Amino acid sequence: PSRLYPCAALAPTAVSSREARVGGRSGGPAPTLGAHSSSAGLSPSSGLSAMAIPWMPREISSRLYEKEHELDNVRTTYLMSTAFIGGFLGREDGRRPTWFNRVKLMPVSTLTPDLQEHLANTCHVVCMKTRQEVMSEPTKRGLVPEGRPATGWQAGLLCGRVLWRTLFASAAAKANINKCGSPVLYMAACQSLMVSMRKLLTQVWLEVQLQYTSKISKYRNIKSRPGWSVLEGLQFKNFCEKSGFGLFDPEKTPPSSAGSKPASDLQDYLEEVLALRFAIDLLTLAMKDAEEFIDLQTKRLQRKALPRQRVPGDAVEAELMALKEKSVDSFAMMWTDDAELRGIASLASRLMDGLEGPSAVHFAATFTGQILLAMWKGVQPMLAHHASVGIARIAESHAVIGSLPSPALDDRDADKSQTAVFDRIALSYGPPSRDCKELVMALPRGVLGCIVKVQARFRGTLFRTRNFQRTRAVAAYCKAARWPQLQAPMEGYDDEETADSKKDKRRTKKKPKKVDATKLKEEIEDFKPNVSKYLGGEPSKGGSRDPSSPSATRTKGFGATAGSTMADMNPDRRLWPLPTADHRACADLFALYMYNMYRRRELTNMWATLCGSYERGMDVYAELLSKNPALKPMLDSIAAQLKRGSVVGYDKAFIAKQRKESDSNAPSSRNPASDIFSSSRTKPSKGLGATQESADTQRTIRPGMTPLPKDVGQSGDAAKDDMTGEYLTTYLKEMDGDDSQFKDISASVIPLSTGTSPPRKPPHEYILEAELASQKSDSRPEGMPLTEAEKAARKVKPDVPFCMKRVKPIWLPIKAHRFAAYRAKVLQLLPPRILQQYVDFEKQGQYLACIKLLESATPGSLNVLSPATLVGNKPLLVETVLQLIVGYSGLCLKNNQGNIAVKLITQVIDNMSLALRDLHPGHRTVLEAYLYDTALSIAYYMPNDISLSDRSEAFFQQASERYLRLEHTNRYCKCCLRAAAVLHGQGHLSEAEYYTQQALNKLSDAPVSSLLVVCYHNLAVHTLVQQRLADSVAHVRAYVALLRQLPKLGNTWMQQVDNTQWLILKAQEMWPQYQQQQGMRDSQAGVKFGH
């Protein structure tokens, strides 16, 4: 306990022989409280030491480290910092190898039994209080007042700040130091600990990227289990070797307990990262608290020189005033609104007060480490929760690419965190990029040195800006408190004042100099500034130089006095050379040059990004053009416009055309839209009727509606199913560029896992729970007991008939296309009075009445269920209403109004041929296929509707024929699977298997996708129900093999796949017994029971 603990954290930049002698006394490099470089420790051979505390004035740090009577401050700070490290590292003792016995502190076993008991009780209270605060969200208990913690993270920080400050001040009181220095030493310890924690956070996060990704080894993933020695090595190297805290080498000193976990995992590393982030936030806030205390205490110390205004009347009042002054001036008493927390802090302080003797400060350090250890154990459940949430966000793909996402905090905590972008900072320690190297190599000669100087000046300015306020506060406080002392206290003088300080105070008292206001005003009026010619000033003549200019001092004649000349030329009279206008001009020129270099780099990056984007866009568009040849006319049109723009100018080729189109919407004597929308079946007359028709057409075209080209309708000039460039351009303009209806869909019909879906259950548990839930839903009076026969009947028997009954094919639903956009567009076309009725009918679910109201739309009748009165030459509006009806059908099925959905889709199918008469043939084909497919889907959800079920196969034939004509392979396969599901529900198993096999044949040359998985899954279901077990098992193996090649799919879909696999394998297990019961042989499987 009596060994010397020197510390380089408080040492100045220049080190004398005295410092080398103190550092060599401990037998090696002196420990440091967190220097900024790896060589911050004091070494006799180096002769240099780093300045570890950036905001501490040089004079204060020199006195603390050089003066013999102030070295106790360094020893106390070192002990308290080591105790904090011991509590931090020992928070998981028991699960991982024990750390606290490898910290250079007095062991707990040296305490007396009663002290051990008191310490254990205090630690238990601290742990339970901290755990209660971090695990209960304050916002759930009501509104949180301003200034109080709003989250569990912030509540834990408050507990840590109060306890750490109380323990430091109480333990420092046991040392032979001045109590006025406790706040400054506390801030120094927090600064050193925070710097060390930041270094360790960077190293641990980089180690996470190496241990749990395939960056350096393909055998590493998120399930790797590195040994504890890796993490302990990082902690020892950072805290002991680089920062100088008192730790024993874990490789040489075995732990007292190996822990319950033999190796670490990703959870442990993420908990370490979160603990470091918590510690950095705690130490940062602790420093701010101490700075606020220093500011207030400085003001109190400056007011102490004034005489007291009030004298206590009796002894009781005097004692109360002393207690109040103690509570205000005491650094250990940190105020908080939490009365329980104040009581716990007071308990810890009283526990420290019971320590007496020469080794009290060392026992107090042990007490501090143990109580902080209890605080960290209370915080640990919150860290474990955040780590588990962070692991849930990590996928195998992150490990493959070698970059794991950082564990996220709550938004309110992340906004106030001091380590919000720690992962980016850690990755910034990698080698410089190629662009940076090329930019440096391209710099002219001599510019790199100027850049280094400017960067150094900027970093110095930034450094001063960050620490100037705190430095000034510390300097003012130390001056007011007269700490630390330049000389040891002498006999006959107070501890806070020496004889030299009194002499200096009398010597510095001077009378203020009086200034003549009249003379000063005349000097200001006669002053003539010397402006450089580089900034627009006139060059000064040889004999007319202003005596106040900087250059006038060199041309003064013999009339100038020697005293004034020496005063002006003496460099000691000013701190730096006076800057001239020439200096300012050079500085502006250099700043302009640096700004141009920055612009050059940014423009280079922009050009590289544009070139890369252009190349990628061309590749994507070429692939899109190969998949959809209908886009070639649109490409030719764009190419023609670009060619014309290169000849006549792009402003004339594009902007003028847009203005012309906008002007065409304005009313004029001749309406060009009348010719565009005229039908080829009826030719307009030249008389009065033509004028009236033109006026009606002009009135129906609303501003913002793009007219369709001339090839709309059955007699268009385009081919039967080919979309012309002009028609497709108009369609894309109306649909905001959405042409997904004219393209085939992706084969990824099952969504990927997002981590938000419910977890997957074991198949047998899921099936049995569903079976029991269906049995409990019968109409049985409550409280009526079950008979033995009913209990036996309700018992689930997973036999072959049970498995055949439970397997179901996967249903791929069809989605409404842009339902919200289409609905909003239709509502804009209704008058206000009709609009209110329309919305009311929608709320009541009377969608047929809504469609009936569309007859009163502004452009004309849009009731597609009555094509006789349907407005002509409005193909896009007709498609909008049809898409709206499809969305209404889905809402009816969702709201258990299946009969309304059947009526809607039946009337649409029956009137579709006339309603779509004005559409382009290719557009009409796409829409007809979509409507027939929708009718087939409604037939699946309404199996009891006989008329719709009878027409389901016709719906499939019509939809599939159009999909094949459009070459939409994936849409055709989905339609086949839907038809097979409908036939399966109707009992036509052979036909269902045939259509599923047709879809599989179409995908024979396609890459692996979830659509293939659905095909094999449904084939397994169809063949099992037909009692062809061998084929069913083969199909199960096929889709299981495909799933291993795909990324993780959604849990909701994977649950049905798992259930089917379990049922089929269960049927295979009991198949021999089933054959024996049914009396059939293997050759009879598939033909019995009419299959």
Side-chain angles (χ1 to χ4, degrees):
S2 60
R3 64 180 297 187
L4 190 61
Y5 298 103
C7 176
L10 305 177
T13 305
V15 179
S16 61
S17 59
R18 160 67 183 160
E19 297 171 1
R21 186 166 63 254
V22 172
R25 192 181 302 178
S26 60
T32 176
L33 288 185
H36 289 287
S37 63
S38 58
S39 60
L42 184 62
S43 176
S45 60
S46 64
L48 295 175
S49 175
M51 189 66 182
I53 308 299
W55 42 263
M56 183 174 289
R58 177 186 177 89
E59 180 65 24
I60 297 175
S61 60
S62 300
R63 291 185 182 184
L64 289 175
Y65 195 74
E66 293 178 0
K67 303 302 178 181
E68 183 71 28
H69 60 278
E70 297 290 352
L71 282 180
D72 285 336
N73 297 293
V74 182
R75 299 190 188 100
T76 304
T77 308
Y78 171 78
L79 281 175
M80 295 301 104
S81 304
T82 303
F84 187 94
I85 294 296
F88 172 78
L89 295 178
R91 68 185 185 278
E92 277 294 281
D93 288 355
R95 292 180 62 249
R96 58 177 70 176
T98 307
W99 252 117
F100 201 83
N101 69 313
R102 291 178 285 181
V103 180
K104 295 181 180 180
L105 296 174
M106 294 286 288
V108 183
S109 58
T110 58
L111 300 173
T112 59
D114 54 342
L115 286 179
Q116 294 185 22
E117 182 180 359
H118 294 327
L119 178 60
N121 295 333
T122 305
C123 291
H124 177 73
V125 173
V126 169
C127 179
M128 297 308 296
K129 171 61 178 176
T130 310
R131 181 171 301 179
Q132 174 188 350
E133 293 296 325
V134 301
M135 296 306 293
S136 60
E137 288 292 334
T139 54
K140 294 182 180 179
R141 292 175 285 183
L143 296 177
V144 179
E146 186 178 0
R148 293 189 181 182
T151 62
W153 183 278
Q154 298 175 13
L157 290 176
L158 178 60
C159 293
R161 289 154 51 196
V162 173
L163 289 173
W164 169 229
R165 176 169 162 177
T166 301
L167 293 172
F168 187 95
S170 301
K174 299 299 177 183
N176 187 20
I177 62 175
N178 192 343
K179 67 175 183 178
C180 296
S182 296
V184 180
L185 299 178
Y186 175 75
M187 293 176 62
C190 292
Q191 175 71 29
S192 303
L193 289 167
M194 184 180 63
V195 172
S196 182
M197 294 285 182
R198 287 188 181 274
K199 291 182 180 179
L200 183 59
L201 177 60
T202 298
Q203 296 171 4
V204 170
W205 184 248
L206 293 177
E207 190 67 25
V208 168
Q209 304 297 328
L210 297 179
Q211 293 290 343
Y212 297 100
T213 64
S214 56
K215 183 180 293 186
I216 61 176
S217 175
K218 64 179 181 179
Y219 299 105
R220 292 184 178 180
N221 52 28
I222 59 177
K223 297 181 180 179
S224 300
R225 300 293 298 274
W228 290 111
S229 58
V230 178
L231 185 58
E232 290 181 348
L234 292 176
Q235 294 169 342
F236 176 76
K237 183 178 181 181
N238 183 77
F239 286 141
C240 185
E241 295 182 354
K242 291 186 176 181
S243 300
F245 297 112
L247 300 177
F248 291 105
D249 191 351
E251 295 182 357
K252 300 178 182 179
T253 305
S256 59
S257 174
S260 59
K261 292 185 65 174
S264 60
D265 54 7
L266 183 57
Q267 174 82 12
D268 298 314
Y269 273 83
L270 292 187
E271 288 179 9
E272 187 73 18
V273 169
L274 290 165
L276 289 169
R277 297 186 65 181
F278 186 88
I280 292 172
D281 291 348
L282 189 152
L283 294 170
T284 304
L285 294 174
M287 291 179 65
K288 292 181 179 178
D289 296 337
E291 185 177 355
E292 293 177 0
F293 175 82
I294 282 177
D295 291 336
L296 296 176
Q297 194 68 10
T298 302
K299 298 177 181 178
R300 296 191 187 102
L301 291 174
Q302 291 174 353
R303 289 197 302 265
K304 276 187 177 181
L306 300 176
R308 287 191 175 184
Q309 301 295 332
R310 181 181 177 184
V311 179
D314 52 3
V316 176
E317 186 177 0
E319 185 176 358
L320 289 176
M321 291 180 62
L323 290 175
K324 183 177 180 181
E325 184 179 359
K326 179 181 179 181
S327 63
V328 172
D329 296 343
S330 175
F331 179 67
M333 300 292 291
M334 179 177 176
W335 175 257
T336 174
D337 294 335
D338 192 345
E340 292 183 359
L341 187 57
R342 295 199 307 268
I344 293 175
S346 177
L347 175 63
S349 178
R350 292 200 303 270
L351 184 64
M352 292 285 190
D353 293 341
L355 299 176
E356 300 293 342
S359 299
V361 62
H362 301 282
F363 285 116
T366 302
F367 274 45
T368 302
Q370 286 293 324
I371 296 176
L372 291 176
L373 172 61
M375 184 271 294
W376 280 108
K377 283 188 176 293
V379 174
Q380 185 62 29
M382 179 187 65
L383 304 179
H385 169 70
H386 284 294
S388 60
V389 173
I391 292 176
R393 298 174 55 244
I394 299 175
E396 291 289 346
S397 57
H398 293 104
V400 173
I401 64 177
S403 177
L404 299 183
S406 60
L409 301 178
D410 187 80
D411 293 339
R412 293 167 292 182
D413 299 329
D415 294 340
K416 299 180 180 180
S417 176
Q418 302 296 319
T419 57
V421 291
F422 75 95
D423 51 341
R424 301 180 190 176
I425 295 175
L427 295 178
S428 66
Y429 285 94
S433 61
R434 185 181 63 180
D435 296 338
C436 180
K437 295 180 180 178
E438 291 178 355
L439 181 61
V440 172
M441 295 299 295
L443 291 175
R445 181 182 303 174
V447 175
L448 186 60
C450 297
I451 293 176
V452 172
K453 292 181 180 179
V454 172
Q455 186 179 11
R457 290 295 182 91
F458 175 75
R459 294 185 66 181
T461 303
L462 188 63
F463 185 78
R464 287 191 297 272
T465 304
R466 288 177 177 175
N467 299 283
F468 178 74
Q469 185 70 24
R470 186 168 294 168
T471 303
R472 185 170 64 177
V474 171
Y477 173 77
C478 293
K479 181 179 179 181
R482 297 183 179 88
W483 178 91
Q485 295 290 330
L486 181 62
Q487 298 176 359
M490 301 174 60
E491 295 183 1
Y493 291 95
D494 192 4
D495 292 340
E496 298 180 354
E497 189 174 10
T498 60
D500 293 338
S501 62
K502 290 185 177 180
K503 294 179 181 179
D504 295 339
K505 185 183 299 183
R506 290 193 297 268
R507 191 183 301 118
T508 54
K509 289 183 179 180
K510 295 182 179 179
K511 295 182 179 180
K513 183 179 179 181
K514 295 183 178 180
V515 179
D516 189 359
T518 306
K519 186 177 181 181
L520 180 62
K521 185 176 180 180
E522 293 177 355
E523 291 179 358
I524 294 176
E525 291 177 352
D526 297 338
F527 177 74
K528 296 180 180 180
N530 183 21
V531 182
S532 172
K533 63 180 181 179
Y534 297 103
L535 296 178
E538 296 181 358
S540 60
K541 304 295 183 180
S544 61
R545 291 187 177 180
D546 187 66
S548 61
S549 64
S551 58
T553 56
R554 297 189 298 269
T555 60
K556 287 185 177 182
F558 293 99
T561 60
S564 62
T565 304
M566 292 301 296
D568 292 337
M569 298 299 295
N570 186 8
D572 296 335
R573 298 296 298 272
R574 58 178 182 267
L575 298 178
W576 55 81
L578 291 175
T580 63
D582 297 341
H583 296 157
R584 173 63 183 274
C586 294
D588 292 343
L589 181 63
F590 181 73
L592 179 62
Y593 176 77
M594 293 298 299
Y595 178 66
N596 288 334
M597 291 295 297
Y598 167 75
R599 292 178 62 188
R600 173 183 178 273
R601 186 188 67 179
E602 292 298 319
L603 289 174
T604 304
N605 294 338
M606 291 172 59
W607 176 252
T609 304
L610 288 175
C611 292
S613 303
Y614 183 78
E615 294 295 333
R616 287 192 297 270
M618 290 296 100
D619 295 340
V620 172
Y621 196 79
E623 183 180 358
L624 178 65
L625 193 60
S626 62
K627 291 183 179 180
N628 191 357
L631 295 178
K632 193 174 186 307
M634 184 177 67
L635 178 64
D636 296 337
S637 175
I638 295 175
Q641 291 181 359
L642 291 176
K643 186 176 181 180
R644 181 171 178 268
S646 63
V647 176
V648 302
Y650 292 101
D651 53 345
K652 298 180 180 179
F654 297 101
I655 302 177
K657 184 178 180 181
Q658 294 176 4
R659 289 177 180 174
K660 185 177 180 180
E661 291 179 357
S662 61
D663 294 341
S664 65
N665 294 330
S668 61
S669 59
R670 180 183 177 184
N671 189 4
S674 60
D675 296 332
I676 293 178
F677 282 85
S678 61
S679 176
S680 60
R681 297 188 299 273
T682 59
K683 294 186 178 181
S685 61
K686 300 290 184 177
L688 183 61
T691 306
Q692 183 67 27
E693 182 182 357
S694 175
D696 294 340
T697 307
Q698 179 179 348
R699 186 169 58 252
T700 56
I701 299 178
R702 302 177 61 191
M705 300 177 77
T706 305
L708 287 180
K710 205 171 182 180
D711 53 2
V712 176
Q714 295 178 350
S715 60
D717 298 330
K720 186 175 181 181
D721 287 332
D722 294 337
M723 297 287 290
T724 60
E726 190 176 359
Y727 187 92
L728 187 57
T729 303
T730 307
Y731 177 84
L732 293 176
K733 192 177 296 184
E734 286 292 333
M735 297 298 129
D736 298 330
D738 185 7
D739 61 342
S740 58
Q741 278 195 315
F742 299 99
K743 299 185 295 185
D744 196 9
I745 61 174
S746 173
S748 301
V749 295
I750 298 180
L752 299 179
S753 176
T754 59
T756 59
S757 56
R760 292 159 60 182
K761 296 182 180 179
H764 61 281
E765 295 181 3
Y766 185 89
I767 295 171
L768 293 180
E769 288 178 3
E771 182 67 18
L772 293 176
S774 62
Q775 291 181 2
K776 289 180 181 179
S777 62
D778 58 353
S779 56
R780 182 180 185 84
E782 296 183 2
M784 183 176 180
L786 296 175
T787 62
E788 295 296 333
E790 289 176 341
K791 291 182 180 180
R794 288 198 173 192
K795 187 176 181 180
V796 179
K797 298 178 181 179
D799 51 5
V800 174
F802 176 85
C803 297
M804 294 171 61
K805 182 180 178 182
R806 295 301 181 277
V807 291
K808 299 292 181 184
I810 291 179
W811 171 255
L812 300 176
I814 188 170
K815 297 181 181 179
H817 182 69
R818 292 169 55 89
F819 173 70
Y822 287 134
R823 179 181 176 275
K825 186 175 182 181
V826 168
L827 294 180
Q828 292 176 0
L829 301 176
L830 295 176
R833 180 177 55 84
I834 304 299
L835 177 61
Q836 184 61 39
Q837 298 180 13
Y838 189 93
V839 174
D840 294 339
F841 283 140
E842 266 191 342
K843 294 179 180 179
Q844 298 172 9
Q846 301 180 16
Y847 301 114
L848 288 171
C850 292
I851 304 302
K852 180 68 174 176
L853 285 177
L854 294 180
E855 295 179 355
S856 304
T858 305
S861 176
L862 295 179
N863 184 6
V864 296
L865 303 183
S866 179
T869 60
L870 188 64
V871 65
N873 301 319
K874 294 292 187 296
L876 298 184
L877 292 181
V878 172
E879 185 212 6
T880 299
V881 177
L882 291 174
Q883 296 283 5
L884 184 67
I885 293 177
V886 172
Y888 283 157
S889 302
L891 291 177
C892 291
L893 295 175
K894 184 178 180 181
N895 299 329
N896 296 325
Q897 297 176 342
N899 54 346
I900 300 179
V902 171
K903 291 179 182 179
L904 281 173
I905 199 63
T906 304
Q907 294 187 33
V908 168
I909 295 296
D910 295 339
N911 299 294
M912 184 170 55
S913 58
L914 293 177
L916 301 179
R917 61 181 179 270
D918 291 332
L919 267 70
H920 186 279
H923 192 186
R924 179 176 180 175
T925 303
V926 170
L927 201 54
E928 286 176 347
Y930 178 67
L931 293 174
Y932 280 123
D933 208 350
T934 303
L936 182 63
S937 301
I938 295 177
Y940 173 80
Y941 289 106
M942 299 296 296
N944 297 327
D945 194 290
I946 300 175
S947 61
L948 195 64
S949 299
D950 293 341
R951 301 178 61 181
S952 59
E953 190 168 359
F955 295 155
F956 164 69
Q957 296 294 343
Q958 295 290 341
S960 61
E961 184 267 334
R962 285 163 174 78
Y963 284 143
L964 290 175
R965 191 195 311 168
L966 294 169
E967 297 182 357
H968 291 179
T969 305
N970 294 333
R971 292 184 190 270
Y972 168 76
C973 294
K974 286 187 68 175
C975 186
C976 290
L977 293 175
R978 294 191 189 103
V982 173
L983 293 171
H984 182 92
Q986 296 175 359
H988 305 297
L989 304 178
S990 300
E991 291 83 350
E993 181 186 1
Y994 172 76
Y995 289 138
T996 308
Q997 190 65 45
Q998 289 292 107
L1000 187 61
N1001 294 338
K1002 274 289 183 181
L1003 299 174
S1004 58
D1005 298 331
V1008 178
S1009 62
S1010 55
L1011 188 56
L1012 270 174
V1013 173
V1014 176
C1015 290
Y1016 279 111
H1017 173 275
N1018 290 1
L1019 279 176
V1021 172
H1022 298 324
T1023 51
L1024 177 66
V1025 177
Q1026 298 180 69
Q1027 298 192 11
R1028 288 162 41 203
L1029 182 64
D1031 295 340
S1032 181
V1033 174
H1035 294 319
V1036 169
R1037 293 174 180 171
Y1039 77 69
V1040 170
L1042 290 174
L1043 286 173
R1044 292 173 181 169
Q1045 305 178 41
L1046 293 173
K1048 186 178 180 181
L1049 303 179
N1051 291 346
T1052 305
W1053 297 78
M1054 289 301 299
Q1055 185 68 59
Q1056 186 176 358
V1057 174
D1058 295 343
N1059 296 345
T1060 303
Q1061 179 185 1
W1062 184 86
L1063 290 170
I1064 293 176
L1065 295 181
K1066 191 68 175 179
Q1068 182 187 19
E1069 177 184 349
M1070 297 180 296
W1071 190 257
Q1073 181 182 359
Y1074 176 71
Q1075 282 184 317
Q1076 185 178 2
Q1077 292 176 357
Q1078 298 295 328
M1080 64 178 183
R1081 296 170 296 178
D1082 292 340
S1083 60
Q1084 294 175 332
V1087 297
K1088 196 173 181 65
F1089 302 107
H1091 296 298

